[in-house]
Amino acid sequence: MTSSDPVAIKFKNVNYSDGKLPILKNINGFFPKAKITTIVGPSGAGKTTLFRLCNGLISPSSGETIVNERDINYYEPTQLRRTFGLALQRATMLRGNVFKNLSMPRILQDKRLHKNEAKELLNDVGLDPNILERNVKDLSGGQRQKVSIARTLVNKPNILLLDEITSSLDQVSQLDIETLIKQLNEKYKVTIIWITHNLQQARSVGDYTWVMMDGQLVESGEISLLHHPQHAKVKRFIKGEVE
Amino acid sequence: MSFLTLTLSLIFVLIPIVLSKTLKLGLEKDTIIATIRSIIQLLAVGYLLTFVFDSDNFFYLVCMIILMIGAATQNARKKGAAIQGITWKLIVTFIFVEGLTQGILLGLQITPPAAQYIIPISGMLIGNSMVLSILFLNRFTSEVETRQEETELILSLGGTPKQAIHMPLIHSIKASLIPTIESQKTIGLVQLPGMMSGQIIAGADPAQAVQFQLLILFLLLTTAAVTSIMLGLLSYPTLFNKQMQMLKIRE
Ligand SMILES: Nc1ncnc2c1ncn2[C@@H]1O[C@H](COP(=O)(O)OP(=O)(O)OP(=O)(O)O)[C@@H](O)[C@H]1O
Ligand SMILES: [Mg+2]
């Protein structure tokens, strides 16, 4: 990958703090367009916070976020969030049934989601389409995660932000989701940014990778860097995970 | 009622104090304070009202209403400390409720334009509006907190703040209105409303007293609905900023 490759999101000296507590520290980096970037790093490194920033749910205390060559503030917040599909780490659900959850991205735009479309989405993420009327309270953690992924796909976003979306899934489901996401990337050129604690997954799905630690972007580059990291800190982190 | 009989009525204050003492409930002090406060406050109001009624001056009437709104705001604002600018939001709500109801009452000549009517009715309405504000603000702040993740989820899916806050807002408005509606369903069956009882004791025709009480009940329904909805619509925008981000609730 060269620096002339198109860039989906770019960060320039981005800092974010909650009150006085610094959470993201001077982030400089980018996510290449139409590629899969994986983000790895220990708990509390600031990965989820970075996603909230990309989606405009929070603004940096200083620095710039550039989306498709324009400053993030150029975009109308609702428009920005509709082109970004954010799958939340906790797979938050709206009270009600699965169909209500899948329809919400459309309802918010005064549009409707057809039952057949909803069933197709469930099928895509490997869920039985018959659970459409099921209350989300009665879903397992893994099923919830799949519904959350399906809901993210309703708006056909061109950038997907996936935060630990397979953490509650069994091995087979996990591989199915990986295949689905890779397909979206190959077929529709969707830019994927994928936070994962699973280094194996990070290596197998990613083209590009970011290693974040303690609010900083320690290393980023081609996926091969996860095999041969430069920094001692990163080496230790990767060895720890493998052991 | 003579001063002697009123003094005798203090027996009803002694009973709870004695009970509290023997059962070690620790409520003696509060009971005494409450009794003394109610005596002073009501006597003061009594003299004030006599003065206002006698003077028949519009200016004093307005002063009384301003005083009521001020006291109601002072009481309710603590519950909404998490919402920016809650003081003026309450004031605007109370003024609106008072203006709307008195406007209809006087405009349609339902009640005569006299201080004897305007002041007690305003008192009841503003008092009710205050209770509703407290119920609403309590519920709303807790709904916003418990549903924070859902609210942010809707924002993240491209919803507007209005869409994101819709459920917490509707639930809080509903919840705050339920007591008013429920209590009206059983009114007269279990307890006679205070105003009606007062009029009957003072010698008014019960049928007349009922008519007035009904008027008040209907007014209370309007007050309740308008208060909750208006306060809700004034409050929710302060939970978000221009970038449609959710602000942290101030503790
Ligand atoms: N809403 C918030 N208010 C205050 N601090 C927060 C908030 N969200 C996150 N933080 C803090 O920011 C830091 C980074 O959190 P973040 O959730 O971004 O980490 P993460 O890399 O996603 O971790 P994990 O892998 O455990 O999900 C943590 O120290 C956390 O305590
Ligand atoms: Mg996280």
Side-chain angles (χ1 to χ4, degrees):
Chain A
M1 197 165 310
T2 64
S3 53
S4 62
D5 279 332
V7 168
I9 309 177
K10 191 171 171 178
F11 302 92
K12 280 192 196 163
N13 306 320
V14 166
N15 287 284
Y16 176 77
S17 41
D18 176 55
K20 279 204 180 121
L21 190 79
I23 295 176
L24 293 177
K25 302 170 194 160
N26 202 35
I27 305 279
N28 280 291
F30 68 95
F31 298 132
K33 202 175 237 173
K35 302 274 179 189
I36 301 183
T37 304
T38 53
I39 304 182
V40 297
S43 287
K47 304 180 297 291
T48 300
T49 307
L50 189 80
F51 270 12
R52 290 163 52 78
L53 212 86
C54 292
N55 206 22
L57 286 174
I58 53 175
S59 295
S61 327
S62 67
E64 285 173 71
T65 315
I66 290 149
V67 177
N68 288 328
E69 322 261 298
R70 283 186 194 273
D71 191 278
I72 196 166
N73 297 313
Y74 162 82
Y75 301 94
E76 162 74 15
T78 52
Q79 286 307 323
L80 179 85
R81 291 167 191 162
R82 281 168 200 169
T83 51
F84 277 50
L86 170 61
L88 298 165
Q89 183 165 20
R90 277 191 271 199
T92 310
M93 294 282 122
L94 299 164
R95 291 169 209 196
N97 64 17
V98 172
F99 185 59
K100 178 184 166 191
N101 270 275
L102 292 181
S103 312
M104 193 47 74
R106 290 278 169 86
I107 292 173
L108 295 174
Q109 303 179 51
D110 285 323
K111 290 185 202 151
R112 287 187 50 223
L113 180 74
H114 266 278
K115 286 245 154 102
N116 286 337
E117 252 181 296
K119 286 183 177 168
E120 226 166 88
L121 280 165
L122 289 180
N123 194 45
D124 287 346
V125 294
L127 281 173
D128 180 353
N130 291 322
I131 69 160
L132 208 55
E133 309 292 341
R134 189 89 69 80
N135 192 308
V136 290
K137 274 193 304 202
D138 306 327
L139 298 182
S140 73
Q143 286 173 321
R144 232 180 248 228
Q145 239 170 9
K146 288 177 176 178
V147 171
S148 162
I149 298 168
R151 188 177 56 199
T152 311
L153 301 179
V154 171
N155 275 344
K156 301 211 179 355
N158 44 39
I159 302 180
L160 268 180
L161 306 170
L162 309 173
D163 197 350
E164 291 287 347
I165 53 168
T166 61
S167 58
S168 316
L169 301 187
D170 60 88
Q171 194 70 27
V172 176
S173 302
Q174 187 181 318
L175 290 175
D176 286 347
I177 295 295
E178 288 174 13
T179 311
L180 170 75
I181 301 295
K182 279 196 267 190
Q183 265 176 7
L184 287 171
N185 171 249
E186 278 157 24
K187 258 206 220 157
Y188 305 106
K189 301 282 167 242
V190 178
T191 303
I192 314 279
I193 303 141
W194 194 333
I195 296 175
T196 175
H197 275 126
N198 180 339
L199 284 172
Q200 180 68 36
Q201 183 176 57
R203 288 194 189 100
S204 75
V205 301
D207 303 309
Y208 198 80
T209 197
W210 275 38
V211 184
M212 291 184 70
M213 293 172 122
D214 191 27
Q216 288 170 312
L217 171 58
V218 185
E219 248 182 278
S220 66
E222 299 287 339
I223 198 70
S224 58
L225 93 76
L226 285 185
H227 298 280
H228 317 286
Q230 302 284 313
H231 286 63
K233 272 206 287 191
V234 180
K235 277 181 195 159
R236 245 177 290 133
F237 168 66
I238 287 174
K239 246 167 75 188
E241 295 276 334
V242 172
E243 266 164 20
Chain B
M1 205 173 195
S2 71
F3 231 74
L4 175 72
T5 47
L6 185 60
T7 314
L8 283 177
S9 72
L10 282 176
I11 293 171
F12 297 113
V13 178
L14 277 175
I15 293 174
I17 290 175
V18 170
L19 282 174
S20 172
K21 198 128 194 135
T22 41
L23 294 176
K24 298 204 169 64
L25 300 179
L27 296 173
E28 305 92 276
K29 202 177 141 210
D30 275 332
T31 312
I32 293 170
I33 290 176
T35 308
I36 294 173
R37 274 190 64 160
S38 61
I39 293 172
I40 296 173
Q41 286 166 7
L42 285 179
L43 283 179
V45 167
Y47 286 118
L48 199 63
L49 285 180
T50 317
F51 171 72
V52 173
F53 292 168
D54 288 347
S55 74
D56 205 15
N57 186 328
F58 186 70
F59 174 75
Y60 292 129
L61 182 95
V62 172
C63 282
M64 280 293 288
I65 291 171
I66 290 174
L67 213 70
M68 288 175 190
I69 290 180
T73 307
Q74 189 57 33
N75 246 324
R77 60 187 281 209
K78 291 169 221 139
K79 297 293 171 194
I83 293 161
Q84 240 174 38
I86 190 62
T87 307
W88 74 261
K89 285 175 179 149
L90 284 165
I91 293 176
V92 168
T93 305
F94 294 147
I95 291 177
F96 183 79
V97 164
E98 169 73 6
L100 177 78
T101 47
Q102 290 295 351
I104 295 173
L105 287 174
L106 299 176
L108 299 179
Q109 297 182 333
I110 301 172
T111 54
Q116 281 93 319
Y117 289 88
I118 295 175
I119 287 176
I121 290 177
S122 298
M124 276 186 271
L125 295 183
I126 294 169
N128 186 247
S129 195
M130 175 189 81
V131 171
L132 255 292
S133 308
I134 292 173
L135 284 175
F136 171 79
L137 290 172
N138 254 340
R139 184 64 184 246
F140 189 54
T141 35
S142 81
E143 284 274 330
V144 166
E145 254 177 28
T146 53
R147 287 176 181 256
Q148 188 167 5
E149 281 194 33
E150 283 176 74
T151 309
E152 272 212 333
L153 170 67
I154 293 182
L155 289 179
S156 82
L157 293 172
T160 60
K162 197 172 166 189
Q163 289 170 321
I165 205 72
H166 185 258
M167 289 318 278
L169 189 60
I170 292 296
H171 275 271
S172 320
I173 290 175
K174 253 188 172 167
S176 63
L177 290 180
I178 286 171
T180 305
I181 295 170
E182 283 305 310
S183 73
Q184 296 212 1
K185 282 189 192 160
T186 54
I187 203 148
L189 298 179
V190 183
Q191 58 167 40
L192 294 179
M195 185 188 94
M196 191 169 112
S197 315
Q199 275 189 305
I200 294 173
I201 291 168
D205 168 21
Q208 183 79 24
V210 166
Q211 277 178 22
F212 252 103
Q213 189 61 50
L214 279 176
L215 171 68
I216 295 295
L217 288 184
F218 300 154
L219 279 173
L220 291 186
L221 275 180
T222 294
T223 324
V226 172
T227 302
S228 286
I229 293 169
M230 191 160 162
L231 206 52
L233 294 179
L234 287 176
S235 298
Y236 89 81
T238 59
L239 301 175
F240 301 89
N241 65 12
K242 268 214 196 75
Q243 287 96 40
M244 301 195 187
Q245 298 165 343
M246 209 176 170
L247 299 174
K248 280 209 166 155
I249 287 220
R250 293 184 292 155
E251 296 298 326

